[in-house]
Amino acid sequence: MSSVTRPRREADFARFPSSTPIVIDNGASTFRIGWAGEAEPRLSFRNVVQRPRHRSTGETVSIVGDTDPSLMKFFDCTRSAVRSPFDDDVVYQFEYMEYILDYGFDRLGANSEVGHPILMTECECNPSFSRVRMSELLFETYGVPSIAFGIDNAFSYKYNQKLGNCNEDGLAISCEHGTCHVVPFLKGQPVLGACCRTNVGGFHITDFLRQLLSLKYPYHMASITWDKAEELKKEHCYIGLDYMAELQIFKNNKEEADEKMRYWQLPWVPPPKDEPPSEEELARKAALKEKASQRLRDMAAAKRSQKIVELEKQLSYLEEVMEQLDEAEEQEATAILGRSGYLSQQEIKSAILKATQSLRKAKGESNGNDEKTDASAADKYPLVSVPDETLTPEQLKEKKKQILLKTTTEGKLRAKQKRAEEEALREKQEEKRRAENPELYLEELRSRYSELSEKFEQRKRHKVNGGQTNGNHSSSGGVGRGERLNAAQKERMRLLASAAFDRGKGEDTFGMRDEDWLVYNKMSKDNDDDSNDDDESELVRIASKLQEIDPTFVSKSEAVQLTPEPPKIRHSPQRITGLPLESSGSAALKSSSSQA
Amino acid sequence: MESEVVRTEMVLAPTLPFKKMQTADKYPKGQSRGRQWKHLRHLLQSADASSMPPDRPNYMNIQSPPSIYPPKRYCDLTGFEAPYVDPRTKLRYADPEVFKQIRMLPDEYVQRSFFLPLVY
């Protein structure tokens, strides 16, 4: 019940003589206040308070009742929740009670003082501490002349008795916000010694509905709030008089069940569709790209030319030095050398060589690469071709190393080639098979795919199940018996234990055979063997093939599509509340108060 | 205050004319209010020791005892009648299909499902 319109201040407070009582129905869900003798309460609002901080001024204010959500943007509600002074049906938070009473009296029009007797409702057998503090609050803070407390069901029963709806003996069943009470009446008087209370009420039902919905539709958990669930409950739920029969309807009967089903459409914002860019866009983008690449090319060319210039300069300088050295005599030679920074003629010569090489590279890049690879190939195995007798022992060793290297690289190349050939052959065979009998081929592929995916999922589930759901009962899958219930895990523990056990006597022959090392494979928790990967790759291959040729194929991972229609929430069995109220024997049932 | 907020009069005025003592004085700023209020069960426990005649009804007396009928068994997932319980997760289920779904549930759902049935 979201009353967004706030009640106006009543103007006729002064009209009433000071003997007219003010009647307050202080309920766990709504607070009603009015004048005695009138048919309807003047005010009724939700019995809640929130104390947010006002954003601009920074002060904490109190807001009673329901509010317009659009106005709440002025307040910072992060640390203020909606609070109620009630716990079940007893008032225990008197600060909030005070705010609520403030608001109630204020809206009723009180100016100078509340000088009227108050009639207030409370729950059955209200504990004394609650009543004490309530009276204290009313007397001392509001200066009320007199107070009377009463039970709301009893009031309602007496009223109905006066109207003739029920006899003087009867049973009042009241379903409130947090509790339900059953009070028998004998000769018009409530027998409180025989009354009963159950701590289940409208609040719990709404909460139950909210939890059910959010469990079923976890994706929309944010929009299923308690208030929303309350609204749904009030508008669409009903009490099933025969719960089992209703369940049967939903189980068996399609049409009736469909009638009872309700669809709730959540507000849905379509995802922004990416429009394919128009022609101009494309052209513009292409032009930009061109410009950028052109700019880069220009920069690179400029750098290169700069480098070339530098190198040429250096080369000329070095050549000059060489010339000078050639022409000059000994003493001058050393002086020139010292000036140029090189220690000997050899160095200058090598520097010249390097400079010319890099110059050549800068001028024409592609030529250098081929030369280099050839050079390296020749470099790597220079000794291979040289016959044995002419080599020294170290050189022989070198030669052996180089032979080994050469053979291994060649072998790898050969193996790769062979694999490629095999692949090509296989492809050709498949194509031939497909051409002959497309249907059969498709069938085979499909069956193979389903088989593989089954195996895959099973293995995945095994992996997950072994770790996860077993850890359900033992906390967070740590060490403990819960972890070793699986057969595989028992095996693993056995291996680990035996491996760790130091045998001591006798030789340790563990690593002698190759198969021994496979034990580690079994020990590891992940248990990723190579066979897994093979299967996986084959699965992927088959999936891609199927996608090409089969129009109806949808790979398992994509099967869960985001529907373009707005989401609907099916609402059927949750509609029937599970509270089968047992009807009593004698005359009239009268339920008082609001919630059900 | 913004004008529309003022217009709707949603905020409680800090001082009210009919009160003998204003809330601001009663609950001075700075004290953390939340801790002052004991919960109902604490209050009831502390009140229990005091002398309350055992034959008169009081708040604890009138609370109804738990039901003597055996609880009805409903499926945790669909809401239908469920005579079966999954031994691993202790959830109730009505059909073999529901059972399959239970086995596929990730852990968190199982935890949350435990809070569902109204325990009374």
Side-chain angles (χ1 to χ4, degrees):
Chain A
M1 180 177 82
S2 53
S3 57
V4 175
T5 57
R6 310 279 295 174
R8 304 190 56 88
R9 194 145 195 261
E10 302 288 323
D12 55 359
F13 192 83
R15 198 158 56 82
F16 289 89
S18 56
S19 56
T20 320
I22 295 179
V23 178
I24 298 180
D25 177 7
N26 193 15
S29 62
T30 42
F31 180 92
R32 285 177 255 246
I33 189 169
W35 295 103
E38 298 191 351
E40 292 290 326
R42 288 296 178 101
L43 255 76
S44 107
F45 50 85
R46 202 152 77 108
N47 209 346
V48 289
V49 180
Q50 48 188 346
R51 311 201 69 233
R53 220 169 47 86
H54 191 233
R55 279 189 214 267
S56 27
T57 55
E59 52 173 317
T60 313
V61 295
S62 324
I63 300 182
V64 175
D66 276 325
T67 56
D68 188 357
S70 64
L71 287 181
M72 289 312 285
K73 63 176 186 280
F74 295 116
F75 299 94
D76 166 29
C77 298
T78 48
R79 299 188 67 204
S80 78
V82 165
R83 309 293 309 274
S84 158
F86 279 86
D87 183 4
D88 281 345
D89 50 354
V90 175
V91 182
Y92 79 111
Q93 282 226 0
F94 286 93
E95 187 190 339
Y96 295 128
M97 195 68 238
E98 191 173 334
Y99 292 130
I100 290 171
L101 282 172
D102 278 354
Y103 186 72
F105 287 136
D106 179 58
R107 289 290 109 181
L108 199 60
N111 299 331
S112 50
E113 62 163 12
V114 185
H116 299 256
I118 304 267
L119 173 63
M120 195 141 189
T121 58
E122 56 173 19
C123 64
E124 286 81 339
C125 299
N126 196 17
S128 56
F129 56 80
S130 171
R131 196 180 294 147
V132 157
R133 298 209 58 172
M134 183 67 89
S135 352
E136 183 187 315
L137 179 70
L138 283 171
F139 280 131
E140 295 188 9
T141 316
Y142 296 100
V144 166
S146 51
I147 316 180
F149 290 102
I151 303 179
D152 40 2
N153 325 357
F155 288 139
S156 167
Y157 193 85
K158 297 304 277 184
Y159 182 68
N160 282 298
Q161 196 183 355
K162 207 161 51 153
L163 285 184
N165 290 337
C166 49
N167 294 338
E168 58 179 18
D169 300 333
L171 193 66
I173 300 181
S174 119
C175 307
E176 298 132 21
H177 186 73
T179 50
C180 285
H181 286 102
V182 172
V183 186
F185 281 80
L186 281 181
K187 296 201 183 337
Q189 296 299 315
V191 182
L192 283 181
C195 90
C196 250
R197 179 189 79 239
T198 307
N199 286 354
V200 177
F203 173 80
H204 302 100
I205 297 182
T206 312
D207 207 39
F208 189 45
L209 179 64
R210 183 187 62 83
Q211 282 177 343
L212 280 176
L213 284 179
S214 56
L215 253 188
K216 192 155 185 198
Y217 303 99
Y219 187 68
H220 304 297
M221 235 192 323
S223 35
I224 305 176
T225 59
W226 189 87
D227 291 296
K228 192 76 197 161
E230 171 107 0
E231 208 181 292
L232 286 173
K233 178 187 84 173
K234 288 202 176 164
E235 290 178 41
H236 302 290
C237 294
Y238 66 95
I239 295 183
L241 291 173
D242 183 354
Y243 191 60
M244 291 304 167
E246 302 270 353
L247 279 189
Q248 289 306 313
I249 291 180
F250 279 101
K251 247 188 166 161
N252 308 330
N253 202 335
K254 274 305 250 176
E255 304 86 26
E256 270 198 60
D258 283 338
E259 269 175 55
K260 298 197 186 221
M261 201 164 339
R262 293 277 180 276
Y263 290 94
W264 175 30
Q265 195 131 313
L266 288 170
W268 175 70
V269 177
K273 238 184 4 176
D274 300 318
E275 275 180 23
S278 60
E279 289 252 340
E280 308 132 14
E281 281 270 335
L282 282 169
R284 198 161 49 86
K285 279 203 193 130
L288 278 172
K289 248 193 269 183
E290 265 299 310
K291 248 191 274 177
S293 57
Q294 186 64 32
R295 215 179 317 145
L296 280 171
R297 256 178 275 150
D298 289 338
M299 276 194 335
K303 242 199 273 180
R304 216 181 321 137
S305 57
Q306 207 183 25
K307 197 166 156 202
I308 289 176
V309 163
E310 264 192 43
L311 281 172
E312 281 183 348
K313 241 201 303 185
Q314 200 185 16
L315 201 59
S316 59
Y317 170 71
L318 286 171
E319 283 178 356
E320 245 188 58
V321 171
M322 281 300 295
E323 277 185 27
Q324 285 184 355
L325 275 177
D326 287 334
E327 294 169 7
E329 298 179 3
E330 280 238 6
Q331 310 95 316
E332 287 193 21
T334 41
I336 295 172
L337 274 175
R339 245 185 305 150
S340 66
Y342 289 99
L343 287 176
S344 70
Q345 258 195 10
Q346 304 309 94
E347 278 201 35
I348 298 186
K349 275 212 192 103
S350 56
I352 289 180
L353 201 62
K354 251 192 261 173
T356 37
Q357 261 186 357
S358 31
L359 194 61
R360 210 188 312 144
K361 200 176 26 168
K363 283 209 184 138
E365 290 150 24
S366 50
N367 301 338
N369 280 343
D370 297 333
E371 291 176 15
K372 230 200 259 176
T373 45
D374 286 347
S376 56
D379 279 337
K380 264 199 202 166
Y381 318 120
L383 296 175
V384 175
S385 38
V386 175
D388 278 345
E389 304 90 43
T390 55
L391 294 173
T392 61
E394 296 118 25
Q395 283 186 322
L396 269 172
K397 261 193 244 166
E398 268 292 319
K399 179 179 176 185
K400 274 207 200 107
K401 232 197 291 177
Q402 285 178 5
I403 291 178
L404 190 65
L405 275 176
K406 188 165 173 202
T407 43
T408 42
T409 46
E410 281 184 1
K412 268 192 229 155
L413 274 171
R414 243 182 289 140
K416 224 196 310 183
Q417 271 181 340
K418 205 165 57 168
R419 243 181 288 151
E421 280 174 16
E422 275 182 7
E423 268 293 324
L425 198 64
R426 224 189 313 165
E427 278 288 323
K428 246 189 279 176
Q429 275 181 348
E430 288 216 20
E431 281 298 317
K432 212 168 46 168
R433 256 202 306 169
R434 174 173 162 191
E436 291 172 358
N437 197 348
E439 295 280 332
L440 192 60
Y441 181 67
L442 200 60
E443 277 306 312
E444 279 180 2
L445 264 188
R446 272 205 216 118
S447 58
R448 186 97 180 93
Y449 181 76
S450 51
E451 206 178 285
L452 273 178
S453 56
E454 261 301 318
K455 221 198 309 179
F456 208 57
E457 271 191 22
Q458 223 180 40
R459 213 176 285 152
K460 216 200 299 189
R461 217 178 306 143
H462 227 301
K463 248 197 268 184
V464 168
N465 263 350
Q468 298 292 41
T469 48
N470 258 335
N472 216 342
H473 296 295
S474 61
S475 58
S476 67
V479 276
R481 277 197 68 244
E483 237 205 359
R484 304 200 210 116
L485 295 177
N486 207 351
Q489 306 207 322
K490 268 200 210 139
E491 178 69 21
R492 173 176 167 260
M493 282 317 286
R494 190 183 66 80
L495 282 172
L496 277 174
S498 64
F501 183 54
D502 197 9
R503 239 162 256 133
K505 47 183 163 174
E507 260 188 63
D508 186 14
T509 61
F510 181 65
M512 289 295 179
R513 300 166 304 160
D514 272 336
E515 301 87 65
D516 289 343
W517 300 109
L518 290 178
V519 166
Y520 281 109
N521 226 358
K522 279 193 225 131
M523 273 197 221
S524 91
K525 249 194 172 169
D526 293 329
N527 213 358
D528 273 337
D529 352 312
D530 294 319
S531 55
N532 269 13
D533 301 333
D534 278 344
D535 280 341
E536 206 179 322
S537 56
E538 197 177 339
L539 194 64
V540 166
R541 202 172 53 83
I542 294 189
S544 63
K545 268 225 130 74
L546 275 176
Q547 210 138 37
E548 290 175 7
I549 58 183
D550 191 359
T552 65
F553 176 73
V554 172
S555 78
K556 280 247 164 89
S557 55
E558 302 168 3
V560 185
Q561 294 259 348
L562 289 174
T563 53
E565 307 121 29
K568 299 187 180 127
I569 294 196
R570 298 235 326 265
H571 200 96
S572 41
Q574 286 93 336
R575 283 184 64 208
I576 326 172
T577 62
L579 265 196
L581 300 175
E582 279 129 28
S583 45
S584 85
S586 64
L589 315 168
K590 244 344 169 181
S591 59
S592 73
S593 273
S594 50
Q595 298 272 313
Chain B
M1 288 271 164
E2 293 80 355
S3 64
E4 49 263 7
V5 173
V6 172
R7 224 180 320 128
T8 55
E9 297 177 335
M10 60 193 278
V11 172
L12 210 57
T15 58
L16 288 160
F18 47 83
K19 292 182 76 169
K20 293 210 172 139
M21 185 161 147
Q22 305 299 328
T23 36
D25 308 323
K26 205 192 252 191
Y27 304 107
K29 218 172 166 184
Q31 269 182 31
S32 58
R33 282 99 161 241
R35 267 183 263 146
Q36 290 176 7
W37 305 108
K38 286 203 220 166
H39 275 291
L40 185 63
R41 11 171 223 286
H42 301 320
L43 291 167
L44 288 173
Q45 275 170 6
S46 50
D48 216 2
S50 65
S51 61
M52 260 194 292
D55 53 339
R56 307 280 309 284
N58 61 19
Y59 191 76
M60 304 307 294
N61 279 352
I62 62 175
Q63 181 148 348
S64 63
S67 167
I68 53 179
Y69 296 102
K72 288 258 169 64
R73 303 183 166 83
Y74 296 111
C75 170
D76 286 321
L77 254 60
T78 55
F80 295 121
E81 262 200 84
Y84 318 110
V85 178
D86 170 24
R88 198 192 282 176
T89 55
K90 301 278 185 301
L91 291 176
R92 295 215 127 87
Y93 61 93
D95 282 338
E97 287 89 34
V98 182
F99 179 63
K100 253 189 248 177
Q101 285 190 15
I102 288 187
R103 278 297 157 91
M104 311 254 275
L105 282 183
D107 256 355
E108 34 179 68
Y109 283 113
V110 174
Q111 302 287 354
R112 275 149 71 189
S113 298
F114 273 143
F115 294 113
L116 262 206
L118 287 177
V119 180
Y120 188 67

PDB file of all heavy atoms in Angstrom, chain A residues 321-336:
ATOM      1  N   VAL A 321      89.756  10.087 -41.782  1.00  0.00           N
ATOM      2  CA  VAL A 321      90.793   9.722 -40.808  1.00  0.00           C
ATOM      3  C   VAL A 321      91.744   8.685 -41.400  1.00  0.00           C
ATOM      4  O   VAL A 321      92.976   8.758 -41.244  1.00  0.00           O
ATOM      5  CB  VAL A 321      90.129   9.221 -39.515  1.00  0.00           C
ATOM      6  CG1 VAL A 321      91.142   8.639 -38.576  1.00  0.00           C
ATOM      7  CG2 VAL A 321      89.380  10.355 -38.848  1.00  0.00           C
ATOM      8  N   MET A 322      91.143   7.702 -42.070  1.00  0.00           N
ATOM      9  CA  MET A 322      91.963   6.670 -42.705  1.00  0.00           C
ATOM     10  C   MET A 322      92.975   7.288 -43.661  1.00  0.00           C
ATOM     11  O   MET A 322      94.172   6.952 -43.659  1.00  0.00           O
ATOM     12  CB  MET A 322      91.061   5.696 -43.486  1.00  0.00           C
ATOM     13  CG  MET A 322      90.376   4.680 -42.639  1.00  0.00           C
ATOM     14  SD  MET A 322      91.507   3.615 -41.727  1.00  0.00           S
ATOM     15  CE  MET A 322      92.292   2.765 -43.044  1.00  0.00           C
ATOM     16  N   GLU A 323      92.486   8.180 -44.478  1.00  0.00           N
ATOM     17  CA  GLU A 323      93.361   8.820 -45.455  1.00  0.00           C
ATOM     18  C   GLU A 323      94.493   9.546 -44.767  1.00  0.00           C
ATOM     19  O   GLU A 323      95.666   9.417 -45.128  1.00  0.00           O
ATOM     20  CB  GLU A 323      92.563   9.814 -46.290  1.00  0.00           C
ATOM     21  CG  GLU A 323      91.840   9.175 -47.436  1.00  0.00           C
ATOM     22  CD  GLU A 323      91.181  10.253 -48.284  1.00  0.00           C
ATOM     23  OE1 GLU A 323      91.692  11.382 -48.297  1.00  0.00           O
ATOM     24  OE2 GLU A 323      90.164   9.929 -48.911  1.00  0.00           O
ATOM     25  N   GLN A 324      94.097  10.273 -43.736  1.00  0.00           N
ATOM     26  CA  GLN A 324      95.111  11.019 -43.013  1.00  0.00           C
ATOM     27  C   GLN A 324      96.162  10.092 -42.443  1.00  0.00           C
ATOM     28  O   GLN A 324      97.365  10.353 -42.521  1.00  0.00           O
ATOM     29  CB  GLN A 324      94.470  11.807 -41.869  1.00  0.00           C
ATOM     30  CG  GLN A 324      93.710  13.027 -42.367  1.00  0.00           C
ATOM     31  CD  GLN A 324      93.191  13.830 -41.178  1.00  0.00           C
ATOM     32  OE1 GLN A 324      93.333  13.404 -40.017  1.00  0.00           O
ATOM     33  NE2 GLN A 324      92.637  14.988 -41.448  1.00  0.00           N
ATOM     34  N   LEU A 325      95.632   8.982 -41.862  1.00  0.00           N
ATOM     35  CA  LEU A 325      96.565   8.029 -41.282  1.00  0.00           C
ATOM     36  C   LEU A 325      97.542   7.515 -42.336  1.00  0.00           C
ATOM     37  O   LEU A 325      98.738   7.381 -42.113  1.00  0.00           O
ATOM     38  CB  LEU A 325      95.799   6.856 -40.678  1.00  0.00           C
ATOM     39  CG  LEU A 325      95.290   7.073 -39.252  1.00  0.00           C
ATOM     40  CD1 LEU A 325      94.490   5.884 -38.817  1.00  0.00           C
ATOM     41  CD2 LEU A 325      96.458   7.275 -38.319  1.00  0.00           C
ATOM     42  N   ASP A 326      96.946   7.171 -43.506  1.00  0.00           N
ATOM     43  CA  ASP A 326      97.806   6.641 -44.565  1.00  0.00           C
ATOM     44  C   ASP A 326      98.883   7.639 -44.958  1.00  0.00           C
ATOM     45  O   ASP A 326     100.044   7.288 -45.157  1.00  0.00           O
ATOM     46  CB  ASP A 326      96.962   6.278 -45.802  1.00  0.00           C
ATOM     47  CG  ASP A 326      96.141   5.018 -45.542  1.00  0.00           C
ATOM     48  OD1 ASP A 326      96.583   4.216 -44.707  1.00  0.00           O
ATOM     49  OD2 ASP A 326      95.069   4.864 -46.163  1.00  0.00           O
ATOM     50  N   GLU A 327      98.455   8.880 -45.088  1.00  0.00           N
ATOM     51  CA  GLU A 327      99.425   9.864 -45.568  1.00  0.00           C
ATOM     52  C   GLU A 327     100.406  10.277 -44.477  1.00  0.00           C
ATOM     53  O   GLU A 327     101.581  10.546 -44.745  1.00  0.00           O
ATOM     54  CB  GLU A 327      98.697  11.112 -46.057  1.00  0.00           C
ATOM     55  CG  GLU A 327      97.854  10.866 -47.285  1.00  0.00           C
ATOM     56  CD  GLU A 327      96.960  12.060 -47.572  1.00  0.00           C
ATOM     57  OE1 GLU A 327      97.136  13.091 -46.882  1.00  0.00           O
ATOM     58  OE2 GLU A 327      96.088  11.967 -48.453  1.00  0.00           O
ATOM     59  N   ALA A 328      99.905  10.322 -43.235  1.00  0.00           N
ATOM     60  CA  ALA A 328     100.742  10.915 -42.179  1.00  0.00           C
ATOM     61  C   ALA A 328     101.866   9.997 -41.737  1.00  0.00           C
ATOM     62  O   ALA A 328     101.905   8.821 -42.062  1.00  0.00           O
ATOM     63  CB  ALA A 328      99.837  11.256 -41.009  1.00  0.00           C
ATOM     64  N   GLU A 329     102.706  10.551 -40.920  1.00  0.00           N
ATOM     65  CA  GLU A 329     103.810   9.768 -40.388  1.00  0.00           C
ATOM     66  C   GLU A 329     103.460   9.287 -39.003  1.00  0.00           C
ATOM     67  O   GLU A 329     102.365   9.505 -38.507  1.00  0.00           O
ATOM     68  CB  GLU A 329     105.058  10.635 -40.364  1.00  0.00           C
ATOM     69  CG  GLU A 329     105.443  11.078 -41.759  1.00  0.00           C
ATOM     70  CD  GLU A 329     106.677  11.966 -41.685  1.00  0.00           C
ATOM     71  OE1 GLU A 329     107.204  12.141 -40.565  1.00  0.00           O
ATOM     72  OE2 GLU A 329     107.036  12.474 -42.733  1.00  0.00           O
ATOM     73  N   GLU A 330     104.455   8.641 -38.335  1.00  0.00           N
ATOM     74  CA  GLU A 330     104.143   7.935 -37.093  1.00  0.00           C
ATOM     75  C   GLU A 330     103.599   8.834 -35.995  1.00  0.00           C
ATOM     76  O   GLU A 330     102.532   8.589 -35.458  1.00  0.00           O
ATOM     77  CB  GLU A 330     105.412   7.256 -36.570  1.00  0.00           C
ATOM     78  CG  GLU A 330     105.681   5.969 -37.297  1.00  0.00           C
ATOM     79  CD  GLU A 330     105.749   4.781 -36.352  1.00  0.00           C
ATOM     80  OE1 GLU A 330     105.455   4.967 -35.112  1.00  0.00           O
ATOM     81  OE2 GLU A 330     106.048   3.699 -36.804  1.00  0.00           O
ATOM     82  N   GLN A 331     104.332   9.903 -35.638  1.00  0.00           N
ATOM     83  CA  GLN A 331     103.870  10.682 -34.493  1.00  0.00           C
ATOM     84  C   GLN A 331     102.528  11.293 -34.777  1.00  0.00           C
ATOM     85  O   GLN A 331     101.610  11.256 -33.959  1.00  0.00           O
ATOM     86  CB  GLN A 331     104.864  11.800 -34.143  1.00  0.00           C
ATOM     87  CG  GLN A 331     106.292  11.316 -34.012  1.00  0.00           C
ATOM     88  CD  GLN A 331     107.024  11.525 -35.324  1.00  0.00           C
ATOM     89  OE1 GLN A 331     106.482  11.227 -36.395  1.00  0.00           O
ATOM     90  NE2 GLN A 331     108.240  12.070 -35.236  1.00  0.00           N
ATOM     91  N   GLU A 332     102.403  11.821 -35.944  1.00  0.00           N
ATOM     92  CA  GLU A 332     101.122  12.437 -36.282  1.00  0.00           C
ATOM     93  C   GLU A 332      99.998  11.402 -36.257  1.00  0.00           C
ATOM     94  O   GLU A 332      98.857  11.695 -35.897  1.00  0.00           O
ATOM     95  CB  GLU A 332     101.197  13.064 -37.674  1.00  0.00           C
ATOM     96  CG  GLU A 332     102.031  14.330 -37.674  1.00  0.00           C
ATOM     97  CD  GLU A 332     101.831  15.091 -38.977  1.00  0.00           C
ATOM     98  OE1 GLU A 332     100.786  14.828 -39.628  1.00  0.00           O
ATOM     99  OE2 GLU A 332     102.670  15.906 -39.295  1.00  0.00           O
ATOM    100  N   ALA A 333     100.430  10.176 -36.680  1.00  0.00           N
ATOM    101  CA  ALA A 333      99.396   9.131 -36.703  1.00  0.00           C
ATOM    102  C   ALA A 333      98.770   8.942 -35.334  1.00  0.00           C
ATOM    103  O   ALA A 333      97.530   8.898 -35.188  1.00  0.00           O
ATOM    104  CB  ALA A 333      99.999   7.822 -37.200  1.00  0.00           C
ATOM    105  N   THR A 334      99.662   8.811 -34.292  1.00  0.00           N
ATOM    106  CA  THR A 334      99.094   8.622 -32.957  1.00  0.00           C
ATOM    107  C   THR A 334      98.222   9.802 -32.543  1.00  0.00           C
ATOM    108  O   THR A 334      97.150   9.635 -31.941  1.00  0.00           O
ATOM    109  CB  THR A 334     100.208   8.441 -31.907  1.00  0.00           C
ATOM    110  OG1 THR A 334     101.256   9.356 -32.212  1.00  0.00           O
ATOM    111  CG2 THR A 334     100.737   7.030 -31.908  1.00  0.00           C
ATOM    112  N   ALA A 335      98.691  11.009 -32.909  1.00  0.00           N
ATOM    113  CA  ALA A 335      97.887  12.188 -32.544  1.00  0.00           C
ATOM    114  C   ALA A 335      96.518  12.141 -33.209  1.00  0.00           C
ATOM    115  O   ALA A 335      95.475  12.365 -32.569  1.00  0.00           O
ATOM    116  CB  ALA A 335      98.638  13.457 -32.964  1.00  0.00           C
ATOM    117  N   ILE A 336      96.545  11.781 -34.479  1.00  0.00           N
ATOM    118  CA  ILE A 336      95.248  11.721 -35.186  1.00  0.00           C
ATOM    119  C   ILE A 336      94.344  10.669 -34.550  1.00  0.00           C
ATOM    120  O   ILE A 336      93.134  10.880 -34.351  1.00  0.00           O
ATOM    121  CB  ILE A 336      95.481  11.396 -36.671  1.00  0.00           C
ATOM    122  CG1 ILE A 336      96.257  12.539 -37.333  1.00  0.00           C
ATOM    123  CG2 ILE A 336      94.140  11.207 -37.355  1.00  0.00           C
ATOM    124  CD1 ILE A 336      96.678  12.209 -38.741  1.00  0.00           C
TER     125      ILE A 336
END
